[in-house]
Amino acid sequence: MPIITIEVALAAIFSFTLIAPLGIPWWVPAIAVVAMACVVIGLRHFSERHRAGLWAGLAVVRNNGRGRVIAFTLLAVCAQVARNWLMLRAIGVNVSIFDSIGIADCDVHRRTASNRA
């Protein structure tokens, strides 16, 4: 759960790159960033109150491992962006790094939706 939350928060942050291609208003990504910040803060408060049973996995949110989880998730997202950029360039599509970020954002949203099902 914490890794998915961090990935969706990063997708919300990087969604500013999708404003022009999708023609969405500039305030939609801002609302997404604020909403995900509230979810992350809420998850941390929830993890402080529920420490046993199923919720024990949230311990990573409240201890020193939080920084490592965020760093490794950020590294994974950056690797996805680099992979997308390299593969698109390899097949001859002239894309910018921002286009690759947009594709990575779509990939995060797709995986999050499939995890819910």
Side-chain angles (χ1 to χ4, degrees):
M1 181 71 169
I3 293 173
I4 294 172
T5 305
I6 294 167
E7 278 197 58
V8 174
L10 288 171
I13 292 168
F14 291 139
S15 66
F16 283 101
T17 62
L18 298 173
I19 291 173
L22 295 179
I24 59 175
W26 65 268
W27 46 267
V28 172
I31 290 173
V33 169
V34 170
M36 284 312 302
C38 291
V39 167
V40 169
I41 291 169
L43 187 61
R44 180 157 186 222
H45 289 298
F46 185 82
S47 73
E48 290 171 358
R49 287 189 210 106
H50 299 85
R51 295 178 178 248
L54 178 65
W55 310 111
L58 294 175
V60 72
V61 177
R62 66 178 169 266
N63 63 19
N64 295 335
R66 177 179 56 232
R68 270 185 262 141
V69 169
I70 292 172
F72 284 133
T73 305
L74 185 59
L75 179 67
V77 169
C78 289
Q80 291 173 5
V81 170
R83 176 203 62 203
N84 293 339
W85 184 79
L86 285 170
M87 293 306 295
L88 289 169
R89 298 286 292 197
I91 62 172
V93 179
N94 189 16
V95 295
S96 70
I97 196 73
F98 296 113
D99 296 330
S100 299
I101 290 172
I103 292 170
D105 279 348
C106 294
D107 187 42
V108 167
H109 292 298
R110 181 188 54 78
R111 281 188 288 128
T112 303
S114 68
N115 286 339
R116 289 183 194 150

